[in-house]
Amino acid sequence: MAKIVLSAFAGEKPLIIPRLLPETAATEAVGVRLDDGGLTPINGSLATGETVMADAHTIYRHQGQWLSWLTDVDAVPGPVAQDRLYFTGDGVPKVRISGTIYPLRVPRPTAALAATLGGAGSGETQTRTYAYTFVTSFGEETAPSPAAPSVDWKPGQSVTLSGFAAAPAGRSITRQRIYRSQTGSSGTYLYLIAERAVSAADFVDSVAVDAFREALPSAGWDEPKDTLSGITSMPNGMMAAFVGRDVYFCEPWRPHAWPEKYVMTCDSDVVGLASIGGVLVVLTRANPYMMTGSHPDSIQSVKLEANYPCINPRGIVDLGFAICYPSNDGLISVRASGEVSFVTEQLFRRDEWQALSPQTALGAQHGNIYLMFYDTTEVTGERSAGALFINVNAAPFLVRSGEVADALYFDVETSALFFKRPGDTNVYRFDDPAGFPEQYSWRSKEFWMPRPGTFGAILVDQGSIADAYDGTRIDAERDRIAAANAVIFASGLLGSAVNEQCLNEMAIGGDTMLSMPPPMSASISVFADGKLIGTADKIGSVARLAAKNARCWEIAVQSNIPIGSISLATTVDELRG
């Protein structure tokens, strides 16, 4: 009495020969969702109605508006206000505030003030020096100007400050703050004595000795480098970016200030950054690093003993529980604990991985799955493009998809993955909940029996995963498309006549008629010693199989209906039992 029961399903493990695969693994898994343990179709991708540049390399949605760039751009919301988006990769670092783009750099005053004493004074002499800063309308303060030559001031005298520079254009600088040195029990420092319009001219200091306000906060601040790249956000108001081998950190809650004193240096050039919890994962052309700390002045750097260089910044993905990135040998994951895993060790050989062109592939998150879009040319000259779902958990497996993309954006708030197709201006949502279930393929491992035997019956069940899958919605959509096609056909504007369209505007033999979503269907085939012996197309009822003595048995599924279990048995009574 023999029986095969598949009540859980997983994806492909290509490097393991079919007979040695785990019970749930597949020799083929295409277009199927496996996150619930069953076989569930992926929904079709739908256009959002929004558009971006056709040749965009980067897309991003900020405050409900789609942005796109022709270069590889890193963009992150800032820790200061919701209307601000900080990005690098499009020339100098920039910030987008309420739809207006500014350089991130706020230029400091470059010349010292002139200080002139006035009037006669008496009493104890006090040495004073002055500096001033620029302040934008968004509250960003610059580093101070060089200190003015000191003056010896006595009570009763005034000090006139002159030489205030005009504010640089293009950065919304609206105010200036004037600081004066004061000596206290802890030493001498600069303290605020006045704030005024940036266009104001000379200033006469008649502020009382004890009327100063807060200390100068920006003495150690530096402007961001023009070549800053890979900007990413971190906890506690920090942001990080890099130039060459150097990793920079902004002043907490001050993304316009990037002090040189916070720089951490790696052994190799940095390729990209990603933050997981309070850990900054630094991916280089050699070993990865982990940098941790609650403030930039206390950052600790650890070089991980894992010789896995990052070869593509567009492949770096934060899955929430791990950072994944492509290396020469395969996909690598780094967890906040410092654990480094070679995810695809049992999925690809090095040459097979390299054939996917991981140097140019795009990485994204879809649920807890790493999704890699590849587009390359095979040695035969044929194009090879598609996507791989790579499960990075304890037992990695992969699922294949024919979808192509050349720019991606994952929206954390909605857990939605958006993309654009090559040459297309439309933004699509991948696996859209409103999309229709697509056809998927799944083929089991090879089940080898100890001796030749016969399986005479098969039962396919949906189980509880079928609750949301009735054909009503698809039938309604088919009726809608049929009505629309009838209008197109009646108009005669089919676009199918010879020489009616420009070259490459329509497929040969194509027309303007809308495609029908496929009807709900399932085809489960049983193979014995490599030969097809029967097919079941009914869900929830037993189907009989032709008698065939064989040792090797396989099950293949073609469907757009969820399937929860598949059972093979020698007789119908065994299935019922």
Side-chain angles (χ1 to χ4, degrees):
M1 181 183 297
K3 197 171 184 180
I4 296 174
V5 178
L6 293 174
S7 57
F9 301 85
E12 300 178 24
K13 290 178 174 287
L15 287 189
I16 301 177
I17 62 176
R19 67 183 299 173
L20 298 181
L21 285 169
E23 298 293 301
T24 59
T27 56
E28 178 187 20
V30 179
V32 61
R33 187 202 314 277
L34 298 168
D35 53 0
D36 56 7
L39 298 177
T40 308
I42 294 173
N43 293 325
S45 301
L46 298 181
T48 63
E50 304 288 341
T51 60
V52 292
M53 292 185 291
D55 49 355
H57 277 225
T58 307
I59 59 174
Y60 193 96
R61 187 170 65 180
H62 183 232
Q63 293 189 303
Q65 180 179 352
W66 280 101
L67 311 176
S68 58
W69 296 271
L70 300 177
T71 56
D72 297 338
V73 168
D74 292 288
V76 290
V80 180
Q82 293 184 351
D83 64 342
R84 302 186 191 183
L85 181 72
Y86 297 83
F87 58 96
T88 59
D90 182 35
V92 300
K94 296 180 175 68
V95 58
R96 183 178 188 265
I97 305 175
S98 299
T100 302
I101 295 175
Y102 302 91
L104 181 56
R105 175 177 177 266
V106 184
R108 64 187 291 180
T110 57
L113 295 170
T116 306
L117 286 170
S122 61
E124 184 178 355
T125 299
Q126 184 182 92
T127 300
R128 288 182 171 180
T129 189
Y130 296 85
Y132 73 107
T133 63
F134 290 140
V135 182
T136 71
S137 60
F138 314 113
E140 302 159 308
E141 186 172 10
T142 69
S145 67
S150 59
V151 294
D152 293 329
W153 172 89
K154 293 181 180 180
Q157 289 184 303
S158 64
V159 180
T160 300
L161 301 177
S162 60
F164 290 93
R171 201 50 181 86
S172 192
I173 296 173
T174 57
R175 291 172 293 160
Q176 59 182 219
R177 289 178 180 165
I178 302 171
Y179 293 85
R180 182 180 73 194
S181 63
Q182 297 283 150
T183 301
S185 59
S186 59
T188 302
Y189 201 68
L190 292 168
Y191 294 87
L192 179 65
I193 59 170
E195 180 173 347
R196 60 185 192 154
V198 73
S199 58
D202 295 354
F203 174 77
V204 178
D205 177 14
S206 58
V207 178
V209 172
D210 58 355
F212 59 89
R213 289 180 274 176
E214 65 267 22
L216 172 69
S218 59
W221 296 358
D222 294 293
E223 299 159 13
K225 299 286 187 182
D226 287 347
T227 52
L228 212 61
S229 300
I231 194 167
T232 189
S233 59
M234 296 180 65
N236 300 318
M238 296 189 294
M239 302 182 81
F242 67 89
V243 176
R245 298 184 178 188
D246 296 329
V247 179
Y248 287 75
F249 297 89
C250 78
E251 188 69 27
W253 313 106
R254 301 289 186 271
H256 68 287
W258 296 74
E260 294 281 347
K261 62 184 179 182
Y262 297 150
V263 172
M264 305 291 289
T265 301
C266 303
D267 292 344
S268 303
D269 285 347
V270 179
V271 177
L273 308 174
S275 175
I276 177 170
V279 176
L280 180 69
V281 179
V282 181
L283 304 171
T284 75
R285 296 188 184 278
N287 297 57
Y289 285 72
M290 296 182 68
M291 297 184 181
T292 58
S294 58
H295 192 279
D297 62 8
S298 61
I299 293 291
Q300 300 293 316
S301 177
V302 176
K303 179 180 178 181
L304 301 180
E305 296 303 319
N307 297 326
Y308 296 128
C310 180
I311 60 174
N312 177 8
R314 301 184 80 192
I316 300 171
V317 175
D318 176 7
L319 292 179
F321 60 90
I323 304 299
C324 293
Y325 68 94
S327 190
N328 290 313
D329 297 317
L331 186 70
I332 309 300
S333 74
V334 180
R335 297 180 184 257
S337 63
E339 177 188 357
V340 180
S341 301
F342 184 4
V343 175
T344 55
E345 186 173 12
Q346 294 187 358
L347 303 182
F348 296 104
R349 295 184 178 87
R350 179 187 172 99
D351 58 339
E352 295 169 339
W353 173 255
Q354 289 292 331
L356 297 171
S357 188
Q359 299 86 350
T360 60
L362 302 181
Q365 175 182 355
H366 185 58
N368 291 326
I369 303 295
Y370 182 93
L371 184 55
M372 185 178 88
F373 289 87
Y374 63 92
D375 194 340
T376 186
T377 303
E378 298 181 351
V379 293
T380 60
E382 295 182 0
R383 181 190 182 195
S384 176
L388 298 176
F389 296 80
I390 303 177
N391 185 308
V392 303
N393 289 320
F397 59 78
L398 64 88
V399 175
R400 305 177 191 271
S401 170
E403 188 61 87
V404 294
D406 63 353
L408 305 169
Y409 170 69
F410 180 75
D411 185 74
V412 178
E413 293 184 4
T414 60
S415 299
L417 175 62
F418 299 92
F419 70 99
K420 65 170 290 293
R421 295 169 177 150
D424 195 345
T425 61
N426 291 302
V427 176
Y428 297 87
R429 179 171 179 177
F430 185 80
D431 190 18
D432 195 315
F436 297 103
E438 295 192 335
Q439 287 284 338
Y440 64 84
S441 301
W442 188 90
R443 188 173 180 125
S444 74
K445 65 166 287 183
E446 293 178 355
F447 292 92
W448 284 79
M449 302 295 108
R451 61 184 61 87
T454 297
F455 287 104
I458 181 172
L459 174 63
V460 181
D461 274 330
Q462 286 184 291
S464 60
I465 60 176
D467 293 345
Y469 284 83
D470 60 58
T472 305
R473 189 162 57 91
I474 288 186
D475 290 342
E477 179 66 3
R478 290 175 66 86
D479 292 342
R480 184 193 70 80
I481 292 176
N485 282 340
V487 174
I488 295 172
F489 187 82
S491 71
L493 302 176
L494 300 178
S496 58
V498 177
N499 294 330
E500 189 174 358
Q501 303 289 338
C502 295
L503 187 65
N504 293 328
E505 279 197 5
M506 189 169 291
I508 295 175
D511 54 42
T512 57
M513 303 282 275
L514 304 177
S515 298
M516 286 281 188
M520 304 294 280
S521 64
S523 176
I524 296 87
S525 302
V526 178
F527 294 84
D529 288 341
K531 295 182 179 179
L532 176 65
I533 65 163
T535 300
D537 57 9
K538 300 294 184 182
I539 304 296
S541 60
V542 174
R544 296 183 180 275
L545 300 173
K548 170 70 175 177
N549 272 329
R551 287 193 64 199
C552 178
W553 294 82
E554 299 169 86
I555 301 169
V557 180
Q558 295 279 338
S559 178
N560 60 357
I561 299 175
I563 292 175
S565 67
I566 302 173
S567 302
L568 289 180
T570 304
T571 65
V572 173
D573 288 340
E574 288 178 11
L575 282 181
R576 290 172 178 168

